[in-house]
Amino acid sequence: QRGVMQPPSALYEQATQSAGGSPRETLFSDDRPENLAAASSLGWDALLFTTPAAAAKELTRRIIITNY
């Protein structure tokens, strides 16, 4: 949605803790580069979403299995 502010970095840190993993084990996908930059700054694997086909290809490259 346009006009929505980027979440503060503390939100990303809290999400990592809640998931129980390390930042490098966390995959974040978004269509907004500024949100990817925030996630990447914390060590997350950031994937720019452009199309479903491109996302599926990137997930396969990362050896992440999907059901579609």
Side-chain angles (χ1 to χ4, degrees), residues 23-52:
R24 65 179 163 70
E25 296 173 312
T26 305
L27 173 65
F28 180 76
S29 181
D30 200 293
D31 63 345
R32 299 183 65 185
E34 61 271 21
N35 291 343
L36 296 178
S40 290
S41 74
L42 295 170
W44 290 17
D45 181 11
L47 170 62
L48 179 63
F49 182 87
T50 54
T51 66

mmCIF file of all heavy atoms in Angstrom, residues 23-52:
data_model
loop_
_atom_site.group_PDB
_atom_site.id
_atom_site.type_symbol
_atom_site.label_atom_id
_atom_site.label_comp_id
_atom_site.label_asym_id
_atom_site.label_seq_id
_atom_site.Cartn_x
_atom_site.Cartn_y
_atom_site.Cartn_z
ATOM 1 N N PRO A 23 19.141 -14.408 12.358
ATOM 2 C CA PRO A 23 18.824 -13.531 11.223
ATOM 3 C C PRO A 23 19.186 -14.152 9.876
ATOM 4 O O PRO A 23 18.430 -14.026 8.922
ATOM 5 C CB PRO A 23 19.657 -12.281 11.503
ATOM 6 C CG PRO A 23 19.807 -12.269 12.977
ATOM 7 C CD PRO A 23 19.908 -13.722 13.374
ATOM 8 N N ARG A 24 20.302 -14.843 9.772
ATOM 9 C CA ARG A 24 20.706 -15.398 8.477
ATOM 10 C C ARG A 24 19.809 -16.550 8.035
ATOM 11 O O ARG A 24 19.823 -16.951 6.885
ATOM 12 C CB ARG A 24 22.172 -15.810 8.482
ATOM 13 C CG ARG A 24 22.519 -16.921 9.407
ATOM 14 C CD ARG A 24 24.021 -17.237 9.297
ATOM 15 N NE ARG A 24 24.535 -18.007 10.384
ATOM 16 C CZ ARG A 24 24.264 -19.275 10.616
ATOM 17 N NH1 ARG A 24 23.474 -19.939 9.820
ATOM 18 N NH2 ARG A 24 24.781 -19.901 11.649
ATOM 19 N N GLU A 25 18.997 -17.087 8.945
ATOM 20 C CA GLU A 25 18.045 -18.147 8.607
ATOM 21 C C GLU A 25 16.666 -17.591 8.245
ATOM 22 O O GLU A 25 15.737 -18.346 8.000
ATOM 23 C CB GLU A 25 17.881 -19.106 9.786
ATOM 24 C CG GLU A 25 19.133 -19.859 10.148
ATOM 25 C CD GLU A 25 18.955 -20.671 11.420
ATOM 26 O OE1 GLU A 25 18.440 -20.125 12.424
ATOM 27 O OE2 GLU A 25 19.342 -21.841 11.401
ATOM 28 N N THR A 26 16.551 -16.271 8.227
ATOM 29 C CA THR A 26 15.270 -15.623 8.000
ATOM 30 C C THR A 26 15.187 -15.091 6.572
ATOM 31 O O THR A 26 16.049 -14.337 6.141
ATOM 32 C CB THR A 26 15.078 -14.464 8.996
ATOM 33 O OG1 THR A 26 15.228 -14.968 10.327
ATOM 34 C CG2 THR A 26 13.709 -13.836 8.853
ATOM 35 N N LEU A 27 14.161 -15.497 5.862
ATOM 36 C CA LEU A 27 13.929 -15.003 4.510
ATOM 37 C C LEU A 27 12.804 -13.976 4.554
ATOM 38 O O LEU A 27 11.742 -14.225 5.125
ATOM 39 C CB LEU A 27 13.533 -16.146 3.564
ATOM 40 C CG LEU A 27 13.112 -15.734 2.159
ATOM 41 C CD1 LEU A 27 14.276 -15.102 1.406
ATOM 42 C CD2 LEU A 27 12.555 -16.916 1.398
ATOM 43 N N PHE A 28 13.052 -12.836 3.960
ATOM 44 C CA PHE A 28 12.066 -11.771 3.908
ATOM 45 C C PHE A 28 11.848 -11.397 2.452
ATOM 46 O O PHE A 28 12.804 -11.160 1.712
ATOM 47 C CB PHE A 28 12.562 -10.552 4.694
ATOM 48 C CG PHE A 28 11.597 -9.403 4.694
ATOM 49 C CD1 PHE A 28 10.461 -9.424 5.476
ATOM 50 C CD2 PHE A 28 11.840 -8.288 3.910
ATOM 51 C CE1 PHE A 28 9.575 -8.367 5.485
ATOM 52 C CE2 PHE A 28 10.957 -7.216 3.906
ATOM 53 C CZ PHE A 28 9.826 -7.258 4.697
ATOM 54 N N SER A 29 10.613 -11.350 2.014
ATOM 55 C CA SER A 29 10.287 -10.968 0.655
ATOM 56 C C SER A 29 9.325 -9.795 0.672
ATOM 57 O O SER A 29 8.380 -9.766 1.471
ATOM 58 C CB SER A 29 9.656 -12.150 -0.093
ATOM 59 O OG SER A 29 9.360 -11.783 -1.416
ATOM 60 N N ASP A 30 9.591 -8.843 -0.196
ATOM 61 C CA ASP A 30 8.749 -7.658 -0.279
ATOM 62 C C ASP A 30 8.927 -7.067 -1.671
ATOM 63 O O ASP A 30 9.919 -7.350 -2.344
ATOM 64 C CB ASP A 30 9.169 -6.641 0.790
ATOM 65 C CG ASP A 30 8.080 -5.623 1.093
ATOM 66 O OD1 ASP A 30 7.752 -4.808 0.209
ATOM 67 O OD2 ASP A 30 7.558 -5.643 2.224
ATOM 68 N N ASP A 31 7.998 -6.249 -2.088
ATOM 69 C CA ASP A 31 8.129 -5.601 -3.392
ATOM 70 C C ASP A 31 8.707 -4.197 -3.272
ATOM 71 O O ASP A 31 8.842 -3.492 -4.265
ATOM 72 C CB ASP A 31 6.782 -5.565 -4.116
ATOM 73 C CG ASP A 31 5.731 -4.749 -3.382
ATOM 74 O OD1 ASP A 31 5.918 -4.442 -2.188
ATOM 75 O OD2 ASP A 31 4.720 -4.413 -4.014
ATOM 76 N N ARG A 32 9.083 -3.808 -2.069
ATOM 77 C CA ARG A 32 9.634 -2.470 -1.843
ATOM 78 C C ARG A 32 11.095 -2.576 -1.410
ATOM 79 O O ARG A 32 11.391 -3.107 -0.337
ATOM 80 C CB ARG A 32 8.814 -1.744 -0.797
ATOM 81 C CG ARG A 32 7.356 -1.579 -1.266
ATOM 82 C CD ARG A 32 6.532 -0.823 -0.303
ATOM 83 N NE ARG A 32 7.065 0.529 -0.233
ATOM 84 C CZ ARG A 32 6.613 1.423 0.616
ATOM 85 N NH1 ARG A 32 5.643 1.127 1.453
ATOM 86 N NH2 ARG A 32 7.130 2.637 0.642
ATOM 87 N N PRO A 33 12.000 -2.080 -2.226
ATOM 88 C CA PRO A 33 13.428 -2.174 -1.904
ATOM 89 C C PRO A 33 13.813 -1.584 -0.552
ATOM 90 O O PRO A 33 14.695 -2.108 0.126
ATOM 91 C CB PRO A 33 14.105 -1.415 -3.050
ATOM 92 C CG PRO A 33 13.144 -1.523 -4.181
ATOM 93 C CD PRO A 33 11.778 -1.490 -3.546
ATOM 94 N N GLU A 34 13.142 -0.527 -0.132
ATOM 95 C CA GLU A 34 13.484 0.074 1.160
ATOM 96 C C GLU A 34 13.202 -0.874 2.327
ATOM 97 O O GLU A 34 13.908 -0.872 3.328
ATOM 98 C CB GLU A 34 12.788 1.422 1.365
ATOM 99 C CG GLU A 34 11.274 1.379 1.358
ATOM 100 C CD GLU A 34 10.625 1.544 -0.007
ATOM 101 O OE1 GLU A 34 11.278 1.315 -1.044
ATOM 102 O OE2 GLU A 34 9.431 1.905 -0.039
ATOM 103 N N ASN A 35 12.160 -1.698 2.208
ATOM 104 C CA ASN A 35 11.886 -2.691 3.251
ATOM 105 C C ASN A 35 12.924 -3.810 3.223
ATOM 106 O O ASN A 35 13.310 -4.335 4.260
ATOM 107 C CB ASN A 35 10.480 -3.254 3.105
ATOM 108 C CG ASN A 35 9.412 -2.228 3.417
ATOM 109 O OD1 ASN A 35 9.673 -1.197 4.029
ATOM 110 N ND2 ASN A 35 8.204 -2.485 2.967
ATOM 111 N N LEU A 36 13.377 -4.166 2.027
ATOM 112 C CA LEU A 36 14.427 -5.179 1.912
ATOM 113 C C LEU A 36 15.718 -4.676 2.523
ATOM 114 O O LEU A 36 16.445 -5.436 3.165
ATOM 115 C CB LEU A 36 14.650 -5.559 0.454
ATOM 116 C CG LEU A 36 13.478 -6.225 -0.260
ATOM 117 C CD1 LEU A 36 13.836 -6.506 -1.701
ATOM 118 C CD2 LEU A 36 13.046 -7.482 0.443
ATOM 119 N N ALA A 37 16.008 -3.399 2.347
ATOM 120 C CA ALA A 37 17.234 -2.829 2.903
ATOM 121 C C ALA A 37 17.231 -2.928 4.429
ATOM 122 O O ALA A 37 18.257 -3.256 5.035
ATOM 123 C CB ALA A 37 17.390 -1.380 2.455
ATOM 124 N N ALA A 38 16.103 -2.664 5.042
ATOM 125 C CA ALA A 38 16.009 -2.761 6.502
ATOM 126 C C ALA A 38 16.233 -4.197 6.967
ATOM 127 O O ALA A 38 16.964 -4.447 7.923
ATOM 128 C CB ALA A 38 14.655 -2.255 6.980
ATOM 129 N N ALA A 39 15.624 -5.145 6.285
ATOM 130 C CA ALA A 39 15.799 -6.556 6.651
ATOM 131 C C ALA A 39 17.237 -7.006 6.410
ATOM 132 O O ALA A 39 17.831 -7.692 7.243
ATOM 133 C CB ALA A 39 14.825 -7.421 5.852
ATOM 134 N N SER A 40 17.812 -6.610 5.299
ATOM 135 C CA SER A 40 19.196 -6.983 4.981
ATOM 136 C C SER A 40 20.174 -6.415 5.998
ATOM 137 O O SER A 40 21.171 -7.051 6.322
ATOM 138 C CB SER A 40 19.574 -6.487 3.590
ATOM 139 O OG SER A 40 18.889 -7.209 2.612
ATOM 140 N N SER A 41 19.892 -5.222 6.489
ATOM 141 C CA SER A 41 20.798 -4.596 7.458
ATOM 142 C C SER A 41 20.894 -5.401 8.751
ATOM 143 O O SER A 41 21.853 -5.269 9.500
ATOM 144 C CB SER A 41 20.369 -3.160 7.747
ATOM 145 O OG SER A 41 19.204 -3.132 8.558
ATOM 146 N N LEU A 42 19.888 -6.246 8.998
ATOM 147 C CA LEU A 42 19.898 -7.106 10.180
ATOM 148 C C LEU A 42 20.398 -8.511 9.870
ATOM 149 O O LEU A 42 20.382 -9.381 10.725
ATOM 150 C CB LEU A 42 18.500 -7.181 10.790
ATOM 151 C CG LEU A 42 17.993 -5.863 11.351
ATOM 152 C CD1 LEU A 42 16.520 -5.965 11.700
ATOM 153 C CD2 LEU A 42 18.808 -5.472 12.574
ATOM 154 N N GLY A 43 20.823 -8.733 8.636
ATOM 155 C CA GLY A 43 21.371 -10.029 8.266
ATOM 156 C C GLY A 43 20.368 -10.995 7.668
ATOM 157 O O GLY A 43 20.694 -12.149 7.416
ATOM 158 N N TRP A 44 19.142 -10.553 7.433
ATOM 159 C CA TRP A 44 18.139 -11.415 6.823
ATOM 160 C C TRP A 44 18.449 -11.605 5.343
ATOM 161 O O TRP A 44 19.035 -10.734 4.695
ATOM 162 C CB TRP A 44 16.759 -10.796 6.939
ATOM 163 C CG TRP A 44 16.155 -10.745 8.302
ATOM 164 C CD1 TRP A 44 16.794 -10.885 9.506
ATOM 165 C CD2 TRP A 44 14.794 -10.487 8.612
ATOM 166 N NE1 TRP A 44 15.902 -10.728 10.529
ATOM 167 C CE2 TRP A 44 14.666 -10.486 10.012
ATOM 168 C CE3 TRP A 44 13.679 -10.250 7.840
ATOM 169 C CZ2 TRP A 44 13.455 -10.271 10.654
ATOM 170 C CZ3 TRP A 44 12.465 -10.037 8.485
ATOM 171 C CH2 TRP A 44 12.363 -10.055 9.872
ATOM 172 N N ASP A 45 18.020 -12.727 4.798
ATOM 173 C CA ASP A 45 18.061 -12.961 3.359
ATOM 174 C C ASP A 45 16.862 -12.225 2.784
ATOM 175 O O ASP A 45 15.725 -12.509 3.150
ATOM 176 C CB ASP A 45 17.977 -14.466 3.080
ATOM 177 C CG ASP A 45 18.034 -14.809 1.610
ATOM 178 O OD1 ASP A 45 18.338 -13.927 0.781
ATOM 179 O OD2 ASP A 45 17.780 -15.979 1.283
ATOM 180 N N ALA A 46 17.108 -11.255 1.915
ATOM 181 C CA ALA A 46 16.034 -10.426 1.390
ATOM 182 C C ALA A 46 15.807 -10.725 -0.088
ATOM 183 O O ALA A 46 16.743 -10.766 -0.874
ATOM 184 C CB ALA A 46 16.375 -8.953 1.580
ATOM 185 N N LEU A 47 14.560 -10.944 -0.434
ATOM 186 C CA LEU A 47 14.167 -11.306 -1.790
ATOM 187 C C LEU A 47 13.176 -10.274 -2.319
ATOM 188 O O LEU A 47 12.098 -10.099 -1.748
ATOM 189 C CB LEU A 47 13.518 -12.697 -1.770
ATOM 190 C CG LEU A 47 12.815 -13.189 -3.024
ATOM 191 C CD1 LEU A 47 13.794 -13.308 -4.179
ATOM 192 C CD2 LEU A 47 12.167 -14.541 -2.757
ATOM 193 N N LEU A 48 13.562 -9.593 -3.391
ATOM 194 C CA LEU A 48 12.668 -8.620 -4.006
ATOM 195 C C LEU A 48 11.589 -9.378 -4.778
ATOM 196 O O LEU A 48 11.885 -10.157 -5.677
ATOM 197 C CB LEU A 48 13.431 -7.693 -4.954
ATOM 198 C CG LEU A 48 12.582 -6.652 -5.678
ATOM 199 C CD1 LEU A 48 11.946 -5.675 -4.680
ATOM 200 C CD2 LEU A 48 13.434 -5.891 -6.688
ATOM 201 N N PHE A 49 10.331 -9.147 -4.414
ATOM 202 C CA PHE A 49 9.222 -9.795 -5.106
ATOM 203 C C PHE A 49 8.862 -8.974 -6.328
ATOM 204 O O PHE A 49 8.545 -7.792 -6.236
ATOM 205 C CB PHE A 49 7.995 -9.925 -4.196
ATOM 206 C CG PHE A 49 6.861 -10.632 -4.881
ATOM 207 C CD1 PHE A 49 6.781 -12.005 -4.843
ATOM 208 C CD2 PHE A 49 5.909 -9.927 -5.588
ATOM 209 C CE1 PHE A 49 5.750 -12.677 -5.500
ATOM 210 C CE2 PHE A 49 4.870 -10.575 -6.245
ATOM 211 C CZ PHE A 49 4.804 -11.959 -6.197
ATOM 212 N N THR A 50 8.923 -9.631 -7.486
ATOM 213 C CA THR A 50 8.510 -8.983 -8.728
ATOM 214 C C THR A 50 7.324 -9.707 -9.346
ATOM 215 O O THR A 50 6.340 -9.079 -9.700
ATOM 216 C CB THR A 50 9.679 -8.912 -9.728
ATOM 217 O OG1 THR A 50 10.205 -10.226 -9.919
ATOM 218 C CG2 THR A 50 10.778 -7.989 -9.226
ATOM 219 N N THR A 51 7.441 -11.033 -9.476
ATOM 220 C CA THR A 51 6.347 -11.850 -10.005
ATOM 221 C C THR A 51 6.336 -13.181 -9.256
ATOM 222 O O THR A 51 7.359 -13.590 -8.699
ATOM 223 C CB THR A 51 6.536 -12.155 -11.508
ATOM 224 O OG1 THR A 51 7.690 -12.984 -11.672
ATOM 225 C CG2 THR A 51 6.660 -10.875 -12.326
ATOM 226 N N PRO A 52 5.212 -13.881 -9.258
ATOM 227 C CA PRO A 52 5.190 -15.199 -8.627
ATOM 228 C C PRO A 52 6.217 -16.157 -9.242
ATOM 229 O O PRO A 52 6.874 -16.911 -8.525
ATOM 230 C CB PRO A 52 3.756 -15.686 -8.858
ATOM 231 C CG PRO A 52 2.951 -14.432 -8.948
ATOM 232 C CD PRO A 52 3.863 -13.462 -9.672
#
